[in-house]
Amino acid sequence: MLRNRLLRVLAPDDFALVAPHLRPVDLQLGSVVIAPDEPTTSCCFVEEGVVSVATVERPTRIELGLVGSEGLVGAMPVLLGDARAPYAHIVQVPGHGLAIPSQALRAAVSRSASLQHTLLAYIQTQVLQLAESIYAQAALNLEARLARWLLMCQDRVSGDAIALTHEFLSIMLGVQRAGVTLALQGLEGAGMIRGRRKRIEILDRGGLEGLTEGSYGVPEAAYARLIEGGRKGAAAEGFRPPPAA
């Protein structure tokens, strides 16, 4: 059964436009799904795992957004008319997805106003996520930014435990590893999380949300309203992708 939420809400006719072009791909930890300033030849509907959108080749590496089973990696550059993305799209939590050639996706969108509407609505939620990331980076302390990031990660994985290292967290938050360790200790001391080696368990989502000062929840609410809204695309239920090449 498909797990990607975008594919699952597509109307049968829209799903039929993209389904023949979908091919399974592995999302290996640390692999680059889309390289910055390189032609985006394919997009990826994430089935499981988390892909991070981040700055690279700069003095400080900062995470700008996340894509998981709710989304489509490469949607913004491909569907907004620019075949190149200025940021790297890197697998942060391993999993798998369904790749589609960029040209095939653009052709499908050109044939269906409803498919275009759904994918542009998804891009709007990405823009909102970016705006909230900017707010969080400018206005929140490290513990609050970490709380927001952990909530967003949990939304995109199965269960309450997230497989993450302090080193990777420090890269994504743009701070020293020692700062991440102190922030994790603070959240753990408050009973909101439980830390284990390379693993973080969420214990108190409400407490974490309270720390974020509203920077978590706006894109998520927009996604539920604009994209899901009680819809389910029955055509996706029985879909089985072809084997990987």
Side-chain angles (χ1 to χ4, degrees):
M1 183 178 70
L2 285 179
R3 297 183 60 183
N4 184 273
R5 290 160 60 190
L6 270 181
L7 291 175
R8 289 177 63 82
V9 302
L10 294 183
D13 288 347
D14 290 342
F15 185 75
L17 291 174
V18 300
H21 306 286
L22 298 174
R23 295 294 182 272
V25 292
D26 288 330
L27 300 175
Q28 299 181 357
L29 180 64
S31 63
V32 177
V33 181
I34 297 177
D37 300 318
E38 296 290 336
T40 305
T41 58
S42 68
C43 300
C44 182
F45 291 95
V46 179
E47 285 275 276
E48 184 177 356
V50 179
V51 176
S52 170
V53 184
T55 62
V56 294
E57 299 179 357
R58 301 188 187 186
T60 302
R61 179 171 163 183
I62 297 290
E63 183 179 74
L64 303 172
L66 295 176
V67 181
S69 61
E70 87 295 344
L72 172 62
V73 178
M76 199 174 295
V78 169
L79 297 179
L80 296 185
D82 185 356
R84 297 171 187 263
Y87 308 115
H89 295 62
I90 304 167
V91 177
Q92 177 174 273
V93 176
H96 60 276
L98 294 167
I100 182 171
S102 299
Q103 185 175 1
L105 182 62
R106 283 192 292 263
V109 167
S110 72
R111 295 175 58 186
S112 170
S114 59
L115 177 60
Q116 181 185 64
H117 175 81
T118 298
L119 295 182
L120 288 180
Y122 169 66
I123 289 175
Q124 182 175 341
T125 68
Q126 284 193 303
V127 173
L128 290 173
Q129 186 189 110
L130 173 59
E132 295 299 332
S133 295
I134 293 170
Y135 171 82
Q137 192 68 27
L140 302 184
N141 63 28
L142 180 56
E143 278 193 17
R145 300 203 314 270
L146 177 59
R148 173 179 178 268
W149 190 87
L150 289 173
L151 289 167
M152 291 170 63
C153 272
Q154 189 189 25
D155 288 344
R156 292 163 172 83
V157 301
S158 301
D160 296 328
I162 310 168
L164 298 166
T165 66
H166 289 203
E167 181 179 3
F168 206 95
L169 283 167
S170 69
I171 292 172
M172 292 300 98
L173 293 169
V175 297
Q176 296 295 320
R177 182 172 174 174
V180 171
T181 299
L182 290 174
L184 286 169
Q185 289 174 348
L187 295 181
E188 187 164 17
M192 298 180 189
I193 66 170
R194 179 184 295 120
R196 296 290 184 267
R197 188 174 184 273
K198 298 183 179 182
R199 199 170 183 85
I200 299 169
E201 183 181 357
I202 306 296
L203 302 178
D204 181 4
R205 277 187 64 92
L208 293 175
E209 288 182 30
L211 291 178
T212 68
E213 298 184 9
S215 63
Y216 169 83
V218 174
E220 292 76 14
Y223 189 101
R225 175 174 56 87
L226 295 173
I227 297 172
E228 291 179 321
R231 294 181 299 161
K232 281 193 175 182
E237 295 295 334
F239 174 74
R240 293 293 182 272

